[in-house]
Amino acid sequence: MRIFYHPILGKLEEKRKITLEVDGKKIAAYEGEPIAAALLAAGIRVLRMSPKREEPRGVFCAIGRCTDCVMIVDGQPNVRTCVTPARDGMKIQTQKGLGKWAKKL
Amino acid sequence: MSKKDLIICRCEEVTEEEIKKAIREGADNVDAVKRATRAGMGLCQSHTCYTLIVKIIHEMTGKPIKEILPATHRSPIRPITAEILAKSKNM
Amino acid sequence: MKDRLKSTPGAWVISREILEASPGYPSKEELKRKPVIVIECPEEIPCDPCETICPRGAIVVGEPITNLPRIDQDKCNACGLCIPICPGLAIFLVDNTYSEKEATVSFPYEYYPLPKEGDEVNAVNREGEIACKAKVLKVRDPKSHDHTSVITIVIPKEYSNQVRGIELQQKVDKNE
Amino acid sequence: MGKETMNVELAVVGGGPAGLAVAAKAASYGVQVTVFDENERPGGQLFKQIHKFFGSKEHQAGIRGHDIGYSLLSQCEEFGVKTMLNTVVWGIEKNMLGIQNNGRTYTIKTKKTIIATGASENPLCFPGWTLSGVMGAGAAQTMMNVHRVQPGQKALMVGSGNVGLIVSYQLLLAGIKVAAIVEALPKIGGYMVHAAKIRRTGVPILTSATICEARGENEVEEAVIASIDEKGNVMEGTQRVLPVDLICIAVGLRPLAELCWMAGCKFMFLPVLGDHVPIHDENMRSTVKDIYVAGDVAGIEEASTAMEEGRLAGIAVAEELGYLGSEEADEKKNLARKRLESLRLGPFGDTRAEAKRKLTESEVNR
Amino acid sequence: MKVFDATDVVVIGGGAVGCSIAYHLAKEGIDVILFERGNLASGASGRCGGMVVQLYGRELNIDKTRKRLNLTQLNTHRLLELQDKIGDFEYKQIGSFDIAVSEEEWNSLKKLVEIQHKLGDNEIELLDEKQTREIMPIFGDRTVFGSRYRPSDGNLNPFKLTYLLARAAKKHGAVICTNNKIEEIIEDNGKVIGVRSCIGKTKAKWVVNATNAWASQLTKEVEIIPVREIAMITEALPELRSCPFEARFEGEFAYGTTQTKDGNLLIGGPGLPTGEPGNYNYYDEFIRLSETKRCAEYLCGFFPSLRHVNVIRSWAGTMAFTPDGVPFIGPIPNKEGLLVVAGFADGMADAAAVGELITEYITQVKFISIPMEIFDPGRPCPKIEWPHPYVHETLHEFLAKKYNNLELANKRINQI
């Protein structure tokens, strides 16, 4: 959920709205905000399933250090969504295990 | 979830039990635990689990915490694609 | 499960005795006699904006900066400038002279939404427990306060020593 | 940017409170400064800190962290500090930094380097801690204060240091309910005034208590908490289940010092400053030539101390580079040190002041 | 008597080779203490590709092909058996390549394979471009002329091999003592009687110096040439069809693509020593920015389709060579009780077999499995192929010769 009004920070600044495609579904986002924030705003908190135990994971450190929030972004797995800015039309997928590469390796 | 399955290294999904086993077998520092279990060898390069491992080593061996150093830090300290790393000259 | 989670006794707050013994706390007589500033700041933190902002020099921290703020109630005219500036939100204004049976308490408040003047609200004590009903007398939120509003509520006089705020105006789940 | 090698007089790694303070200060004397920061915007943790700062007027007390951030930024701009954002410093080798920016890597050759990379949060592990919805308190803070997104609807805060208390308060400000704050020690760790303002909203603070487990199918749905004895063992029968979807871990910070380790800086173990801390002298100079440290990376403290350390380092570097006479520099450095000293007064600062003394008086500095 | 006072055999060095020796000895009921100055696998065993390549190099070892192969072939068999006994160390026989990236290289490779066949190395295959790409499709559109291929080569997880060997050794009664540096091998009248470390003296009937790149520091009689090695690791990737390879890249020598079970890929090559003239450091484990980058260039160069993968770390380690390129395995003349096992550029290709051979030597005082003369540390070691590189300038020449590109070597030297 977005914090549209914050008692200290005031009204949410209007930024350019963009659309992300997450596992085939379209969600609205603001340009430049971290992908993870956009997903959180859309109520998507499970970002990947771990490779060995296939357990759900989400945002943990939010500063790009723990690498727990990695997802497949535009066909590339292991993208740290908490520090990767959202851009219009990005295709984002929940990463299962090591993830599938769009490009043939 | 049983305590036995408790994950310490989130990236490589190494459990507390596996780490304790390595310590029982003689690994008494972060680097040795890493070599024995892969804890800290994942994407984040031991950033998150390192202090947890230090604590376990300390509790099991009694080694003072100040003597348990992190594993060696080497470039790149954040994941960077090979292409970007390679795309530079004059280094 | 249904019983409310309670704070561990003594976990967070220094007893009222200590609070009242700290140099920023007015005496019983002063509390009775006039509107007074009440500083609930019993820890030696390096901090002195209350001293800096006071136009009458009534609040003194001095050197070292970790001194507890002292207040000279004779110099203080209870203007309340120190309330919104305190980073700890630890300064209040208590006026037991408001009417025969009622007192006012002014306190800093940063939550959204703000109550409106004239609202009937629940006044809470330092533990967040509802102490009594209150009426919102004033809501001051000028730019200079930088989003720390100062709210004045009217309460029965006997609660003036314990009421330090109001229940949050956002919806609270009563079940927990 | 065409060239792959850039010469920078002073490279500042990290554009948080310390880094920006160094940059503004050094640049004000004429040093050519470039700040490198991994984020899309500078300010580091300052923009998360929406509360008013403690301290005195010189420390910008009573002003909110993010506003201090804006003013530091405008100072940097005024003095011509170059800021490279979205830029990862991925390695260091003597007077060279390896950086990545906009899909390329560059080598930065520097005369002086300031490492002001700040801190990262300590983890706490318990069954279920990998579930989505368990996150660092700082992570939750970033999401709500910087990105304006609620990280959950109802939270449990683990840890009652200043971070735990302040973030709990900020969760409330963001319209998120806080079910409880649990603290393993018998007393809260942070300032009483922070605890007091949270308590006024009725949020319970449970000391000698811990989180036992996070439960949920895919995300956190509930947290199990319990009382612990003096040895830290859970007391049977005290477990309680709280329906929460967010568990914030606030069990301390530690210096984010990878670059210092890589550069070969010598360290000292000082728990009160967070962990192993790079040894530095009273000018914030590390044990490696031309490398300085400032802020949390040089020991976990407050943002206000970070900025003072930054100013101190900025003056020292300007002097070293010949932009400032030694007499003038000494005078300014002493003022900065005085301000630092005053921030380290009192029961909360004493131990830090002592630890800092150990660092600066370390033999390896001689 | 205390544990460390006396034993039958002291093994110095806790890499795969040392641990293998300890394991094989202990299995035979021999008292053995292994001393490692750091952690297990903290030397070349922890900084290598885990490649099990039975015969390296083009110019080297040709005349010794068969003899050298005796050992590595034995090792290949033993690794398979060992995996059943001590646990899974991810050993896979997936083949290995020596790639020709130019017409000229391709021609010389063809000749080389012919010679090898004549020498009795019947396994080695010559694969053309198409065949090479079939086995390793990740070469993409990279120019490949062909390759030399050995199907029974492969790779393993060197950490696991080392730790499993150590664990098995302990199970059989061996004592493994890490973080304890041996300061000196104690002698008495031309006879080795034990070792000295900071925890005191340990008497032993036999001392095995298995410190590889560091062997000369304890045993002056052997000349070991340390060569810095650099490598880079990628993030874990889904399983790729790849196998260990060596190839020239812009004239430099590179190797890699050992994908572990966990999915990470490794690629690297030799690095130059660091330090100042007169004080070069061949053991420097700091990887320079330019070296990390160089490894990334290898990856992008060989496998264009992998250029988008993340690099997560890099390292520098130390390989060891002997002056003639053949490891030293055996007794030191006139030093009764002292064995040296060192000079492995690729210890994984020897570790299992060497453990067995040393055990045979100690228990029966003779080699029984394969002829060992070629590995004799006391052999005359002409320094023709491998000039002494302790002096930086000669290493420079050595690299130039090895890369067959003096200009390039000069350039690399100037970068230091």
Side-chain angles (χ1 to χ4, degrees):
Chain A
M1 288 263 281
R2 294 209 184 261
I3 304 163
F4 288 105
Y5 188 82
H6 190 285
I8 310 290
L9 298 166
K11 256 187 155 161
L12 186 60
E13 205 185 308
E14 270 303 312
K15 279 182 273 181
R16 197 169 96 87
K17 281 206 179 102
I18 55 166
T19 308
L20 304 178
E21 196 186 304
V22 185
D23 292 331
K25 274 186 228 144
K26 297 219 155 92
I27 67 159
Y30 290 117
E31 181 164 47
E33 71 179 337
I35 295 168
L39 297 181
L40 208 49
I44 301 168
R45 303 215 301 176
V46 175
L47 308 182
R48 68 171 177 124
M49 301 300 275
S50 68
K52 287 171 193 158
R53 292 164 46 152
E54 296 174 19
E55 286 171 354
R57 297 287 178 88
V59 170
F60 186 67
C61 84
I63 55 166
R65 198 59 197 89
C66 79
T67 66
D68 235 317
C69 64
V70 296
M71 298 180 83
I72 305 174
V73 176
D74 287 336
Q76 173 140 356
N78 285 345
V79 175
R80 294 174 294 156
T81 55
C82 74
V83 288
T84 305
R87 305 285 178 230
D88 196 27
M90 266 183 172
K91 286 195 173 54
I92 293 149
Q93 289 162 270
T94 303
Q95 181 168 331
K96 296 203 168 70
L98 302 177
K100 269 205 181 114
W101 289 75
K103 301 167 195 107
K104 202 164 165 273
L105 293 183
Chain B
M1 190 189 293
S2 82
K3 193 98 181 160
K4 212 179 145 191
D5 282 340
L6 184 65
I7 279 184
I8 299 295
C9 169
R10 296 169 70 100
C11 300
E12 293 291 318
E13 299 176 80
V14 183
T15 64
E16 186 175 25
E17 236 357 85
E18 291 169 82
I19 287 167
K20 285 185 168 169
K21 189 176 174 212
I23 297 170
R24 277 195 295 271
E25 286 183 0
D28 64 347
N29 56 68
V30 177
D31 189 62
V33 169
K34 174 176 159 181
R35 282 163 204 279
T37 65
R38 280 189 72 81
M41 280 197 185
L43 260 191
C44 96
Q45 289 290 295
S46 91
H47 181 81
T48 312
C49 62
Y50 137 68
T51 44
L52 299 172
I53 294 171
V54 167
K55 215 173 130 226
I56 300 172
I57 294 173
H58 167 69
E59 281 166 5
M60 286 182 66
T61 66
K63 196 170 169 179
I65 287 183
K66 68 173 177 185
E67 287 171 21
I68 312 173
L69 299 176
T72 324
H73 295 280
R74 298 184 206 93
S75 58
I77 58 169
R78 299 284 184 282
I80 296 180
T81 69
E83 180 180 44
I84 291 174
L85 258 183
K87 238 199 232 172
S88 63
K89 300 245 156 59
N90 305 334
M91 286 192 69
Chain C
M1 248 321 287
K2 286 286 168 201
D3 60 318
R4 216 183 143 95
L5 259 178
K6 286 208 181 69
S7 270
T8 318
W12 70 280
V13 81
I14 298 177
S15 69
R16 208 164 106 187
E17 288 73 39
I18 294 177
L19 219 48
E20 289 177 2
S22 69
Y25 211 92
S27 69
K28 284 197 173 101
E29 294 73 54
E30 284 160 346
L31 273 162
K32 254 185 215 160
R33 196 177 46 169
K34 59 172 213 155
V36 282
I37 288 294
V38 177
I39 307 181
E40 303 198 347
C41 177
E43 278 176 332
E44 292 176 330
I45 298 167
C47 185
D48 68 1
C50 51
E51 177 183 39
T52 314
I53 200 152
C54 181
R56 301 169 75 95
I59 303 178
V60 179
V61 174
E63 291 271 339
I65 189 181
T66 45
N67 284 342
L68 298 181
R70 277 174 293 123
I71 181 156
D72 183 337
Q73 296 290 357
D74 294 334
K75 282 190 190 166
C76 174
N77 67 345
C79 70
L81 275 177
C82 49
I83 300 174
I85 197 74
C86 172
L89 306 190
I91 304 181
F92 308 86
L93 193 159
V94 176
D95 180 4
N96 281 312
T97 66
Y98 177 71
S99 73
E100 198 187 328
K101 291 207 165 143
E102 289 165 318
T104 66
V105 175
S106 305
F107 53 89
Y109 191 86
E110 294 182 334
Y111 300 98
Y112 175 81
L114 289 175
K116 285 187 290 296
E117 289 177 6
D119 278 0
E120 288 279 337
V121 294
N122 289 323
V124 296
N125 63 14
R126 296 186 184 91
E127 305 287 336
E129 295 156 349
I130 295 167
C132 58
K133 290 274 173 212
K135 198 175 140 195
V136 178
L137 186 67
K138 261 188 207 158
V139 177
R140 275 163 298 173
D141 184 24
K143 224 172 168 192
S144 61
H145 284 190
D146 190 9
H147 303 278
T148 310
S149 313
V150 176
I151 291 171
T152 305
I153 53 172
V154 181
I155 52 166
K157 209 174 262 185
E158 60 267 37
Y159 296 105
S160 71
N161 245 357
Q162 39 172 303
V163 164
R164 288 297 176 264
I166 54 169
E167 204 178 26
L168 295 201
Q169 299 303 290
Q170 59 205 43
K171 276 175 243 146
V172 175
D173 200 341
K174 295 273 192 238
N175 287 330
E176 291 137 24
Chain D
M1 213 158 310
K3 277 192 204 152
E4 282 81 6
T5 304
M6 280 185 271
N7 288 304
V8 167
E9 193 167 27
L10 170 63
V12 179
V13 186
L20 292 180
V22 175
K25 201 75 197 172
S28 75
Y29 300 119
V31 181
Q32 179 227 330
V33 189
T34 307
V35 178
F36 302 95
D37 196 286
E38 191 175 8
N39 300 289
E40 180 131 301
R41 69 174 187 171
Q45 309 311 308
L46 266 178
F47 286 98
K48 288 187 195 177
Q49 305 201 351
I50 57 171
H51 55 282
K52 291 176 179 170
F53 275 30
F54 290 97
S56 68
K57 203 173 172 185
E58 296 82 59
H59 306 122
Q60 292 174 283
I63 299 177
R64 296 189 189 275
H66 59 281
D67 290 328
I68 297 176
Y70 287 121
S71 82
L72 264 180
L73 283 180
S74 72
Q75 282 174 48
C76 285
E77 197 174 335
E78 185 188 332
F79 298 120
V81 172
K82 243 173 91 182
T83 319
M84 284 186 73
L85 301 171
N86 292 314
T87 300
V88 176
V89 177
W90 53 264
I92 185 166
E93 178 188 337
K94 289 180 186 148
N95 280 45
M96 280 197 293
L97 297 173
I99 68 154
Q100 180 223 311
N101 170 275
N102 200 17
R104 289 190 78 92
T105 54
Y106 303 87
T107 309
I108 307 295
K109 291 198 170 135
T110 70
K111 282 191 182 150
K112 305 275 172 198
T113 302
I114 309 245
I115 298 178
T117 41
S120 69
E121 301 189 84
N122 285 332
L124 178 73
C125 64
F126 45 85
W129 77 297
T130 55
L131 277 174
S132 176
V134 179
M135 64 179 80
Q141 202 184 20
T142 305
M143 282 301 163
M144 59 190 180
N145 296 351
V146 181
H147 306 310
R148 298 289 292 269
V149 174
Q150 290 177 330
Q153 296 302 312
K154 190 165 183 191
L156 170 72
M157 178 63 65
V158 183
S160 72
N162 274 339
V163 172
L165 296 175
I166 291 172
V167 174
S168 295
Y169 182 64
Q170 293 176 354
L171 285 165
L172 294 167
L173 291 179
I176 298 161
K177 294 183 190 83
V178 180
I181 299 172
V182 290
E183 165 63 54
L185 296 172
K187 280 239 177 288
I188 60 158
Y191 293 167
M192 196 215 91
V193 287
H194 287 318
K197 62 187 180 192
I198 298 158
R199 284 295 294 135
R200 289 202 285 276
T201 65
V203 171
I205 300 177
L206 299 120
T207 51
S208 298
T210 191
I211 175 154
C212 307
E213 187 180 351
R215 290 180 188 157
E217 189 65 32
N218 285 314
E219 307 174 22
V220 174
E221 288 160 26
E222 43 188 42
V224 184
I225 59 168
S227 299
I228 51 175
D229 60 22
E230 307 87 62
K231 285 181 187 144
N233 298 318
V234 168
M235 288 155 74
E236 274 314 313
T238 61
Q239 287 94 338
R240 293 190 58 135
V241 179
L242 303 180
V244 295
D245 64 352
L246 174 65
I247 296 172
C248 293
I249 303 174
V251 293
L253 300 164
R254 64 178 192 278
L256 190 49
E258 303 135 308
L259 288 173
C260 300
W261 287 104
M262 200 184 288
C265 296
K266 291 207 166 63
F267 279 69
M268 192 184 276
F269 180 69
L270 293 163
V272 67
L273 293 179
D275 199 24
H276 297 273
V277 179
I279 295 170
H280 57 79
D281 67 9
E282 52 173 19
N283 291 325
M284 305 311 296
R285 184 170 32 198
S286 81
T287 56
V288 173
K289 196 172 170 279
D290 299 329
I291 293 179
Y292 289 68
V293 287
D296 275 357
V297 77
I300 303 300
E301 293 189 85
E302 310 281 326
S304 32
T305 15
M307 287 183 280
E308 289 303 348
E309 285 192 346
R311 286 181 197 115
L312 177 57
I315 298 163
V317 166
E319 182 194 4
E320 284 267 312
L321 291 169
Y323 289 91
L324 202 57
S326 67
E327 223 166 273
E328 197 188 348
D330 278 346
E331 194 184 309
K332 289 183 193 304
K333 283 192 284 192
N334 281 333
L335 276 174
R337 284 183 202 124
K338 260 212 186 100
R339 288 196 298 269
L340 270 171
E341 260 168 44
S342 81
L343 285 173
R344 290 180 185 134
L345 288 171
F348 287 91
D350 274 354
T351 49
R352 288 186 279 123
E354 176 60 31
K356 277 283 180 184
R357 260 196 299 282
K358 274 191 197 155
L359 277 180
T360 51
E361 286 166 12
S362 161
E363 273 175 32
V364 293
N365 280 328
R366 289 185 203 124
Chain E
M1 200 170 68
K2 284 184 199 136
V3 180
F4 295 111
D5 283 356
T7 184
D8 291 336
V9 185
V10 159
V11 178
I12 314 169
V17 171
C19 289
S20 169
I21 295 169
Y23 162 69
H24 283 93
L25 284 168
K27 203 160 59 84
E28 295 305 315
I30 294 169
D31 261 3
V32 51
I33 302 178
L34 181 146
F35 289 107
E36 160 59 48
R37 66 170 188 172
N39 295 320
L40 293 179
S42 58
S45 295
R47 289 164 202 247
C48 68
M51 297 153 78
V52 186
V53 174
Q54 296 165 70
L55 200 64
Y56 258 120
R58 293 185 190 162
E59 314 86 22
L60 303 167
N61 309 332
I62 296 310
D63 54 335
K64 303 172 189 110
T65 295
R66 202 170 2 175
K67 290 174 188 160
R68 179 78 182 88
L69 264 176
N70 279 333
L71 183 67
T72 50
Q73 278 174 341
L74 176 69
N75 185 69
T76 297
H77 292 299
R78 290 296 183 262
L79 280 178
L80 283 174
E81 295 164 14
L82 204 56
Q83 191 149 252
D84 290 336
K85 282 186 205 146
I86 65 169
D88 183 12
F89 45 84
E90 299 165 18
Y91 176 49
K92 283 181 295 183
Q93 289 189 350
I94 49 175
S96 86
F97 279 127
D98 181 355
I99 309 282
V101 294
S102 69
E103 182 95 55
E104 194 190 340
E105 267 192 275
W106 175 229
N107 288 333
S108 75
L109 215 54
K110 279 193 254 184
K111 272 185 213 144
L112 203 61
V113 170
E114 208 181 302
I115 297 168
Q116 281 180 278
H117 283 159
K118 275 187 195 150
L119 287 167
D121 183 358
N122 295 320
E123 195 199 0
I124 201 88
E125 292 173 27
L126 190 70
L127 302 185
D128 63 17
E129 185 195 342
K130 197 171 154 244
Q131 292 166 312
T132 306
R133 283 191 205 282
E134 256 165 35
I135 296 175
M136 202 137 147
I138 54 171
F139 277 115
D141 51 9
R142 164 89 204 171
T143 313
V144 171
F145 280 80
S147 63
R148 185 169 63 155
Y149 179 66
R150 188 183 298 278
S152 68
D153 279 352
N155 70 296
L156 53 77
N157 181 328
F159 295 111
K160 282 209 169 149
L161 174 63
T162 309
Y163 275 84
L164 285 171
L165 281 168
R167 189 182 292 167
K170 276 196 268 186
K171 208 178 271 170
H172 287 289
V175 175
I176 308 267
C177 177
T178 54
N179 294 298
N180 185 36
K181 190 182 174 196
I182 297 300
E183 305 289 349
E184 186 193 356
I185 297 172
I186 313 166
E187 290 169 27
D188 184 26
N189 263 332
K191 191 172 181 302
V192 162
I193 55 163
V195 294
R196 184 174 58 80
S197 70
C198 62
I199 59 166
K201 283 181 191 168
T202 302
K203 279 193 198 159
K205 294 182 193 112
W206 297 92
V207 173
V208 184
N209 178 352
T211 58
N212 206 28
W214 290 266
S216 299
Q217 293 175 1
L218 283 169
T219 307
K220 303 266 179 287
E221 289 81 355
V222 291
E223 191 169 307
I224 295 295
I225 300 152
V227 173
R228 260 181 96 247
E229 172 189 23
I230 56 172
M232 159 215 98
I233 323 291
T234 70
E235 62 191 330
L237 299 169
E239 202 177 330
L240 299 166
R241 280 170 61 202
S242 71
C243 61
F245 77 97
E246 49 176 318
R248 274 72 183 156
F249 180 80
E250 293 172 2
E252 285 185 27
F253 176 79
Y255 68 81
T257 72
T258 318
Q259 194 178 17
T260 61
K261 198 177 169 191
D262 298 274
N264 310 77
L265 227 117
L266 176 146
I267 196 159
L272 286 174
T274 63
E276 306 298 326
N279 191 25
Y280 288 110
N281 186 356
Y282 298 88
Y283 299 95
D284 189 355
E285 291 185 349
F286 180 83
I287 180 156
R288 310 175 68 139
L289 301 178
S290 57
E291 290 172 331
T292 304
K293 177 191 157 281
R294 189 65 180 150
C295 294
E297 284 171 358
Y298 293 156
L299 184 79
C300 298
F302 287 118
F303 311 115
S305 64
L306 296 182
R307 66 188 185 278
H308 301 292
V309 308
N310 280 312
V311 178
I312 61 169
R313 70 171 170 272
S314 57
W315 46 251
T318 312
M319 299 191 275
F321 291 92
T322 59
D324 63 4
V326 178
F328 292 138
I329 305 166
I332 297 295
N334 309 319
K335 283 274 164 73
E336 199 182 319
L338 178 61
L339 296 168
V340 165
V341 182
F344 300 98
D346 177 22
M348 299 306 138
D350 304 279
V354 167
E356 185 175 311
L357 293 171
I358 292 295
T359 303
E360 286 173 358
Y361 185 85
I362 284 176
T363 51
Q364 300 173 12
V365 205
K366 65 171 183 172
F367 289 112
I368 56 167
S369 301
I370 52 169
M372 294 298 291
E373 302 79 41
I374 184 183
F375 305 105
D376 180 7
R379 69 182 180 264
C381 231
K383 297 165 190 174
I384 301 163
E385 286 166 287
W386 294 73
H388 195 312
Y390 281 107
V391 182
H392 185 254
E393 282 64 34
T394 43
L395 180 77
H396 169 197
E397 278 168 29
F398 146 69
L399 285 169
K401 207 168 152 187
K402 189 166 161 55
Y403 300 147
N404 202 19
N405 187 339
L406 193 64
E407 193 193 334
L408 185 91
N410 267 321
K411 217 171 90 194
R412 298 260 290 168
I413 294 293
N414 289 337
Q415 280 171 6
I416 290 186

